[in-house]
Structures are given as C-alpha cells and as structure tokens.
C-alpha cells in the first residue's frame, strides 16, 4: 500500500504520479487520476490570479484521513493526494487525486469520494483577483462555499 | 493558555491571524467564544455567524467541544479548496 499526501506550492507532473501509482504494486488493474485546474468562467479572462490559503498541519491531517477512509472502504493499492497553495494562474493545476486498485470500480469511486470530501472538509480557501472595468484597479474576493459541493459530499 | 488561529476571510475581517488566550477558566468552545468576545466586543457579530467552522488540535469541532490549556483552536469560514 502506497499512500502519499502532499501540500506544496510547486506544480506536479501527472505522468510521474501515474507511473508511481502504477509501479507501486505492479501489476495493478486500474489507475484513476483526477486533476483540478484554475478555471476562468464568465465573463472570459476576468480572473487574473487565485491565492490559496490553508491551515498548515490540519490540512495534511485531513488529507491523510481522507486517504485512510478511502482505503478502509474500497479495495485500493495506492492513493496520492496533492494540493497546491499560494498564487496560481488560470489553467494551472491545483489538485491531484490518484488511486490505484485491481478493478476500475474501486478506483473510480474512491477517487470521487476523496475529491468530493476534500472540497468540503480540507481547510483550504481561495481568493480571486478579478479584472474590473477598464482603467480601474483589480479587486480581490474570497470565494464562497457552494451548496452543490456540500450535496455532492453528502452522497458518500 | 489556548492558542487561537483565524483563517481567510475571517482573519482579514478580524485583522488578526492568531492570538494567545490567557486566564481562560472555561471548558468548551462556546465559553471560549464568550471569553474572547468580552475582550473584543467588536468581534461579537462575526463570532455569532452560523457558518463559522471550528477546529480543536487540527480536528473539526463544535461549540460543545471540550478544550484544555495547551490546545490549539481555529475558527474559519466554510472551505473552498480543490
């Protein structure tokens, strides 16, 4: 069993994480990788940057708990959770959840459980810096938690 | 002595990232909130917000959670990571 939890400012390499999960318990039957990106929805190009704050110590403990809970519930061979902090730009990778198992159903479900639960329980907060109308200075806002995320987490 | 931390929107609104609470003789989070509000009356409205989340020693907690000297208590808004 290979469980890895990392909170870091640096970017991550999907191929490297995939190969690690694949090799840790060769031959595993399935690897599911999810990566979350900084998005810029409506109106286009309004987002300048995102600042991710977290609670050092508690963040790592909560992510470790998610990994442990997933491992207890599904038959898994390995899990990797990476979450970035600090300043990020549109299109940047924010989060990675990787799961390896003998069969795809366990890997798919466990990855979705980890991601849904992370969204509502891991102590991270996003602050967006947005472009205002031409000529005015950019302004920053804390992102509000979404009820839809809470509902997704509750299904588990 | 209890270490108290604030995060994100809450940290900015209070203008405080962390503080040490001394001479606290209560036993739970609700009493700690009352104690802090007595020292900082201007924080009362913010402390009464329903969506305020609480952690004790890095684990999620609530108003009834017990605390003792040396604990680390954190208050923060709903999380928005991922």
């Amino acid at each position: 069993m290979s469980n890895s939890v990392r909170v870091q400012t640096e970017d991550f390499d999907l191929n490297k994480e995939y190969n690690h999960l694949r090799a840790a318990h060769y031959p595993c039957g399935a690897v599911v990788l999810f990566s979350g990106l900084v998005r810029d929805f409506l109106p286009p190009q309004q987002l300048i940057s995102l600042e991710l704050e977290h609670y050092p110590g508690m963040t790592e403990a909560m992510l470790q708990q998610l990994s442990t809970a997933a491992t207890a519930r599904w038959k898994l061979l390995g899990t990797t959770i990476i979450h970035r902090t600090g300043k990020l730009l549109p299109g940047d990778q924010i989060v990675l959840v990787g799961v390896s198992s003998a069969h795809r159903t366990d890997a798919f479900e466990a990855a979705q459980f980890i991601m849904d639960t992370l969204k509502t329980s891991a102590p991270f907060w996003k602050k967006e810096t947005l472009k205002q109308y031409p000529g005015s200075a950019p302004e920053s806002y804390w992102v509000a938690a979404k009820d839809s995320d809470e509902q997704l987490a509750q299904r588990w | 002595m209890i270490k108290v931390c604030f995060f994100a929107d809450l940290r900015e609104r209070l203008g405080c990232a962390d503080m040490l609470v001394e001479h606290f003789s209560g036993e739970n989070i609700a009493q700690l909130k009352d104690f802090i509000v007595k020292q900082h009356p201007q924080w009362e409205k913010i402390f009464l917000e329903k969506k305020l989340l609480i952690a004790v020693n890095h684990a999620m907690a609530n108003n009834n959670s017990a605390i003792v000297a040396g604990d680390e208590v954190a208050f923060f808004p709903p999380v928005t990571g991922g």
Side-chain angles (χ1 to χ4, degrees):
Chain A
M1 191 70 204
S2 148
N3 289 323
S4 171
V5 162
R6 280 171 275 163
V7 178
Q8 61 190 42
T9 53
E10 309 84 63
D11 200 5
F12 47 80
D13 180 347
L14 282 177
N15 253 321
K16 192 175 149 198
E17 301 309 328
Y18 169 71
N19 285 327
H20 176 77
L21 281 166
R22 190 181 169 199
H25 288 271
Y26 185 83
C28 73
V31 175
V32 165
L33 282 180
F34 169 84
S35 67
L37 309 174
V38 179
R39 62 188 181 189
D40 184 8
F41 284 158
L42 302 169
Q45 281 116 45
Q46 198 192 1
L47 181 71
I48 297 172
S49 64
L50 198 66
E51 187 77 30
L52 263 148
E53 178 172 330
H54 77 119
Y55 181 3
M58 180 170 178
T59 314
E60 291 82 353
M62 292 300 286
L63 297 181
Q64 197 59 58
Q65 274 178 37
L66 290 182
S67 171
T68 305
T71 304
R73 190 158 161 188
W74 290 276
K75 286 181 182 164
L76 306 182
L77 296 170
T79 64
T80 302
I81 307 175
I82 305 173
H83 203 299
R84 294 178 68 194
T85 60
K87 188 176 178 178
L88 299 172
L89 301 174
D92 280 354
Q93 302 185 119
I94 303 181
V95 60
L96 174 136
V97 170
V99 177
S100 66
S101 62
H103 304 287
R104 69 179 186 283
T105 311
D106 289 297
F108 270 126
E109 287 185 6
Q112 203 154 15
F113 160 80
I114 291 172
M115 200 53 225
D116 285 347
T117 316
L118 181 157
K119 292 282 289 185
T120 56
S121 69
F124 293 98
W125 302 273
K126 290 191 186 105
K127 191 178 197 181
E128 293 177 338
T129 299
L130 304 177
K131 270 183 207 160
Q132 302 300 305
Y133 53 86
S136 72
E139 287 194 42
S140 298
Y141 304 92
W142 289 100
V143 173
K146 292 200 287 279
D147 289 341
S148 56
D149 283 334
E150 192 60 49
Q151 285 157 14
L152 283 171
Q154 278 171 8
R155 65 185 161 154
W156 302 104
Chain B
M1 191 163 66
I2 308 265
K3 185 183 178 189
V4 178
C5 314
F6 305 104
F7 289 95
D9 177 44
L10 185 68
R11 170 177 53 75
E12 288 187 352
R13 286 159 69 204
L14 298 178
C16 177
D18 52 70
M19 61 194 279
L20 294 173
V21 175
E22 294 182 88
H23 312 298
F24 171 67
S25 57
E27 295 167 353
N28 62 35
I29 292 290
Q31 290 166 338
L32 178 68
K33 280 185 177 175
D34 288 343
F35 191 83
I36 293 173
V37 165
K38 272 188 189 136
Q39 293 178 330
H40 302 272
Q42 71 278 21
W43 290 0
E44 184 171 7
K45 196 179 164 196
I46 295 171
F47 265 78
L48 291 178
E49 284 173 9
K50 279 182 190 166
K51 284 190 170 177
L52 192 66
L53 301 181
I54 305 154
V56 176
N57 299 331
H58 296 167
M60 293 306 292
N62 58 48
N63 281 326
N64 300 319
S65 300
I67 45 172
V68 296
D71 280 350
E72 179 173 308
V73 176
F75 297 100
F76 46 81
V79 301
T80 56

